Amino acid sequence: MPESVTFRDKGGNDPDALYYQVDLLKTLNEKLTDSIGVFDQFINMSGNAYAYYNFKNDYFEAVGNFEALFGMPASRRTDAELLVEYAMEEYRDALRELLKVEDQPGGEAKLEFCIEESHKWLEGHSLAIFDTDGSVVEKYVCFHDITRFKLQHDELSYLAYYDDLTGLLNRNFFIQKLNLLVQKAQEENVKVSVAMLDIDSFKRINDSIGLILGDELLQHVGQFLLSLNTENTIVGRFGTDVFVAAIYNPSGSDTIENLLDTIRRRLTKPFILSNKDEIYLTMTIGVASFPEASGSGFDVLQKTEICIYAAKDGNKGGVKYYDNELMRQFVANFALEKRLQDAIVASHFMLYYQPQYNVRTGKLRGCEALIRWRDEDGRFISPADFIPIAEKSGGIITIGKWVISTALQNYQIWQRLYGFDGILSINISAIQLKKDNFIDELLDYMRREQVNPENIEIEITESVFIDNFHDIIEKMKSMQQFGLRVSLDDFGTGFSSLSYLKNLPINTLKIDKSFIDTVITDDATGIITESIVSMVRRLGLETIAEGVEDERQMEFLKKIDCDNIQGFLLGKPMPEEEFEALIAADRQS
Ligand code: C2E
Ligand code: CA
Ligand code: CA
């Protein structure tokens, strides 16, 4: 028993009573120690740190995990001001405020702050106790670790603003920033130039290297584009393989020309992937500026997109700058596309047939089916105008099916009524041919109409080879195996090399009208046409000359041994009844 403690019994110095009181105190002391132990345990388990002030007694105590949260050793936990030093500079004043004596309204306050050394995020939460005249007597502060929550939050906001694959601005954030730049440019009377960059044939590259390497390639491109960021330039990713850059007040070295130059130079070198693959890319680029192209950021972006469409119509890998003529064409095409959609729904199409004749015998070889569109005002719109638009919008698939089924239905009638067994040529667009089930569907239609594949000729142009030469060749071979004929249309307008013809699985070659037009008037054309015909005959292919308009052309073609002719001279494209009459007449001749 400590010497300083003395007990005085009311009734005198009764030693028993004294012992009893000592025991009682001991028990109470043990209980208190136990409670403090439990309390400490809870504090430790909570992982939090707590500070307590009693302003009346000028007493401060810091308990709990200061070591883990602040990195503060126990020896320093004597003064609130020492705590403040652990926070990052910019939070120190606020933390001091949280800990300070003066009361806060309502007595409670909260603060998020970051620790200098560890970059841990803490939340401090204080509660002040007031006395009856309203001044603070005590204060309790609890600190806890919110780092994980904070990181998750940061990640979410990162994902909301940035593209996770490349680290470039994402679409929404780019548009938001661009709109601000345009607003500022308007106030300051300067320009904002925008370039949209589209990697050419990315889908094909992605298909051939696989998704994972495809992503890696995009990351490389993204990293390069990220390096184009300057004080005045922002770069974002818009879609899988579409990127955008905007330059505020282009001047000095920050100009679109310089930017495009840098990109062009980069693209002369390959992107090297982790498996050592070297990939060369080209990009199609559209450029438009505020205020020339439009008055808002979003509009300028749309204009760059229009430029890309236009650029892709020409050669890939090109750059197109926005101008009024481009816009006029776009608007006209857009209107036509809208009407075309309506026409598909209302089936405003007709199928005409243009006869083809054997030059030697003068007999009907067959015909080519050519689509006609008569709009609601009764005007004919040329397929040369609407087919390319239907190819872009995908409407060609529906139109193409209609052409095939209508042509085969008619053929079946001619067959039944007149025993017709000539050749029916049907034009097929690359988009149709690329469809996986194209041949199956075609064969289905033929089975339904009981038309023999040997009487059907599929006309394709060289453009079908652009994207995927080998697949298309396989398809052509497979069509031939089913007995179908394959014809190469418009020969002379594409790459038209005679040497590659011998490797193509085709039956017929159609010599383009542009040759026939000058075959009489231009000696060189005459000679070329003659050599094409003789070479093609030697390859065992049939020839058809297209667009024969006068007798002299026909005589010339006969002389050089061209097999067949098709043209206004012997018959324009005509409705089905008229063609039926031709069949009937041919049978009698
Ligand atoms: P194409 O396949 O080269 O068709 C021949 C075009 O030349 C037809 O134009 C025909 O009317 C025209 N033509 C024939 N002989 C003469 C002639 O002696 N003089 C002149 N000036 N022209 C002649 P059309 O019908 O306007 O078709 C244009 C193009 O539209 C076709 O060129 C073809 O590429 C496409 N097309 C037409 N129908 C279809 C179709 O059903 N499907 C697809 N995918 N394309 C089609
Ligand atoms: Ca044709
Ligand atoms: Ca043609």
Side-chain angles (χ1 to χ4, degrees), residues 502-547:
K502 66 175 185 298
N503 298 317
L504 289 184
I506 55 173
N507 305 74
T508 309
L509 187 94
K510 294 187 85 170
I511 303 166
D512 192 67
K513 178 172 181 299
S514 55
F515 283 84
I516 312 306
D517 282 346
T518 55
V519 86
I520 301 297
T521 50
D522 181 51
D523 285 348
T525 314
I527 293 165
I528 295 170
T529 309
E530 185 170 1
S531 54
I532 293 175
V533 170
S534 76
M535 154 102 179
V536 170
R537 284 177 61 81
R538 260 182 283 144
L539 289 174
L541 306 177
E542 209 180 327
T543 47
I544 303 181
E546 275 194 306

Side-chain angles (χ1 to χ4, degrees), residues 368 427 459 461 488-491 510-513 546 566:
E368 176 178 5
N427 292 287
E459 285 195 16
T461 58
L488 187 66
D489 202 357
D490 300 344
F491 185 79
K510 294 187 85 170
I511 303 166
D512 192 67
K513 178 172 181 299
E546 275 194 306
Q566 174 183 344

Side-chain angles (χ1 to χ4, degrees), residues 262-545:
T262 314
I263 295 173
R264 218 172 279 133
R265 258 180 283 126
R266 176 63 188 88
L267 296 182
T268 58
K269 290 178 292 169
F271 291 88
I272 301 170
L273 304 181
S274 55
N275 68 345
K276 303 277 185 309
D277 264 9
E278 297 191 355
I279 312 271
Y280 285 89
L281 295 179
T282 59
M283 287 180 172
T284 302
I285 301 174
V287 180
S289 295
F290 166 88
E292 286 91 323
S294 171
S296 88
F298 193 70
D299 258 19
V300 175
L301 267 176
Q302 280 188 323
K303 303 270 159 79
T304 60
E305 217 173 333
I306 295 173
C307 292
I308 292 213
Y309 281 134
K312 289 226 161 159
D313 264 357
N315 281 330
K316 287 182 172 179
V319 180
K320 197 105 194 177
Y321 290 83
Y322 179 82
D323 64 34
N324 287 337
E325 171 55 20
L326 194 88
M327 191 58 194
R328 200 196 54 71
Q329 262 176 29
F330 177 79
V331 171
N333 281 355
F334 189 76
L336 192 60
E337 193 166 329
K338 172 79 188 59
R339 278 160 60 206
L340 184 59
Q341 283 304 325
D342 297 344
I344 293 172
V345 174
S347 23
H348 281 164
F349 298 111
M350 286 173 289
L351 208 53
Y352 274 28
Y353 299 91
Q354 185 175 29
Q356 299 169 337
Y357 289 93
N358 182 304
V359 186
R360 279 177 297 276
T361 63
K363 298 285 274 182
L364 191 63
R365 173 199 192 248
C367 62
E368 176 178 5
L370 293 159
I371 193 168
R372 295 290 173 264
W373 171 17
R374 236 173 104 168
D375 72 3
E376 51 280 10
D377 307 329
R379 278 174 309 176
F380 278 95
I381 298 159
S382 164
D385 290 334
F386 73 82
I387 293 286
I389 290 172
E391 284 177 332
K392 264 190 235 155
S393 70
I396 190 68
I397 298 292
T398 317
I399 296 176
K401 283 182 187 169
W402 177 83
V403 168
I404 292 171
S405 78
T406 310
L408 291 177
Q409 272 166 30
N410 279 332
Y411 193 94
Q412 193 259 117
I413 295 171
W414 304 334
Q415 204 170 233
R416 200 157 32 86
L417 296 184
Y418 308 99
F420 181 66
D421 67 350
I423 287 164
L424 167 66
S425 301
I426 302 178
N427 292 287
I428 295 298
S429 127
I431 316 286
Q432 288 170 274
L433 196 58
K434 270 190 219 153
K435 283 259 159 195
D436 283 344
N437 56 355
F438 171 73
I439 298 179
D440 288 342
E441 273 190 14
L442 184 63
L443 294 172
D444 273 352
Y445 280 118
M446 278 188 280
R447 241 171 265 130
R448 205 174 311 158
E449 303 298 342
Q450 300 188 322
V451 174
N452 185 346
E454 280 162 22
N455 295 117
I456 303 299
E457 188 161 72
I458 297 300
E459 285 195 16
I460 55 172
T461 58
E462 283 164 316
S463 64
V464 298
F465 300 121
I466 287 176
D467 271 350
N468 203 339
F469 187 79
H470 293 287
D471 280 3
I472 297 295
I473 293 288
E474 288 312 308
K475 281 209 167 155
M476 290 162 69
K477 282 186 186 155
S478 146
M479 285 197 280
Q480 285 186 327
Q481 277 156 10
F482 284 112
L484 287 157
R485 303 172 61 90
V486 181
S487 163
L488 187 66
D489 202 357
D490 300 344
F491 185 79
T493 59
F495 6 98
S496 304
S497 130
L498 281 170
S499 60
Y500 93 122
L501 275 183
K502 66 175 185 298
N503 298 317
L504 289 184
I506 55 173
N507 305 74
T508 309
L509 187 94
K510 294 187 85 170
I511 303 166
D512 192 67
K513 178 172 181 299
S514 55
F515 283 84
I516 312 306
D517 282 346
T518 55
V519 86
I520 301 297
T521 50
D522 181 51
D523 285 348
T525 314
I527 293 165
I528 295 170
T529 309
E530 185 170 1
S531 54
I532 293 175
V533 170
S534 76
M535 154 102 179
V536 170
R537 284 177 61 81
R538 260 182 283 144
L539 289 174
L541 306 177
E542 209 180 327
T543 47
I544 303 181

Side-chain angles (χ1 to χ4, degrees), residues 68-332:
L69 297 190
F70 285 75
M72 182 189 213
S75 57
R76 299 200 71 193
R77 295 180 206 166
T78 51
D79 185 346
E81 183 54 31
L82 291 179
L83 258 178
V84 173
E85 288 171 13
Y86 288 86
M88 273 183 176
E89 181 99 43
E90 66 254 48
Y91 299 103
R92 286 188 194 154
D93 285 344
L95 184 56
R96 207 170 275 125
E97 186 81 12
L98 185 86
L99 295 169
K100 93 182 173 182
V101 181
E102 274 102 81
D103 53 352
Q104 299 95 7
E108 286 193 59
K110 249 187 198 161
L111 170 71
E112 287 179 2
F113 60 99
C114 192
I115 297 294
E116 177 101 58
E117 281 279 296
S118 58
H119 281 229
K120 262 198 173 98
W121 276 91
L122 304 187
E123 184 184 74
H125 177 194
S126 77
L127 174 70
I129 309 289
F130 302 85
D131 66 7
T132 42
D133 43 272
S135 49
V136 178
V137 267
E138 284 176 307
K139 194 170 217 178
Y140 297 84
V141 188
C142 168
F143 297 100
H144 69 274
D145 189 340
I146 54 164
T147 313
R148 207 175 66 182
F149 169 76
K150 200 75 183 162
L151 288 181
Q152 275 168 352
H153 179 265
D154 284 356
E155 195 172 334
L156 282 180
S157 33
Y158 181 84
L159 288 179
Y161 295 115
Y162 294 89
D163 168 50
D164 58 336
L165 191 67
T166 61
L168 295 167
L169 310 184
N170 70 15
R171 187 190 176 91
N172 287 342
F173 196 35
F174 183 92
I175 295 177
Q176 212 173 314
K177 282 204 158 191
L178 177 66
N179 282 335
L180 289 177
L181 289 185
V182 164
Q183 227 170 49
K184 198 166 128 206
Q186 199 155 24
E187 285 156 22
E188 295 180 4
N189 217 0
V190 295
K191 208 167 133 168
V192 180
S193 292
V194 181
M196 187 173 278
L197 324 160
D198 185 349
I199 302 179
D200 295 327
S201 313
F202 181 74
K203 197 182 163 316
R204 190 172 50 74
I205 300 171
N206 206 32
D207 285 348
S208 72
I209 62 178
L211 285 179
I212 293 173
L213 289 175
D215 275 359
E216 198 187 319
L217 179 61
L218 289 172
Q219 267 166 347
H220 282 297
V221 175
Q223 255 157 33
F224 160 67
L225 293 176
L226 205 56
S227 74
L228 301 179
N229 270 315
T230 66
E231 207 181 320
N232 292 329
T233 308
I234 55 171
V235 189
R237 179 170 175 227
F238 253 48
T240 312
D241 57 341
V242 179
F243 301 87
V244 241
I247 308 179
Y248 177 79
N249 189 16
S251 56
S253 60
D254 270 352
T255 60
I256 277 288
E257 287 68 29
N258 276 347
L259 186 100
L260 297 186
D261 242 22
T262 314
I263 295 173
R264 218 172 279 133
R265 258 180 283 126
R266 176 63 188 88
L267 296 182
T268 58
K269 290 178 292 169
F271 291 88
I272 301 170
L273 304 181
S274 55
N275 68 345
K276 303 277 185 309
D277 264 9
E278 297 191 355
I279 312 271
Y280 285 89
L281 295 179
T282 59
M283 287 180 172
T284 302
I285 301 174
V287 180
S289 295
F290 166 88
E292 286 91 323
S294 171
S296 88
F298 193 70
D299 258 19
V300 175
L301 267 176
Q302 280 188 323
K303 303 270 159 79
T304 60
E305 217 173 333
I306 295 173
C307 292
I308 292 213
Y309 281 134
K312 289 226 161 159
D313 264 357
N315 281 330
K316 287 182 172 179
V319 180
K320 197 105 194 177
Y321 290 83
Y322 179 82
D323 64 34
N324 287 337
E325 171 55 20
L326 194 88
M327 191 58 194
R328 200 196 54 71
Q329 262 176 29
F330 177 79
V331 171

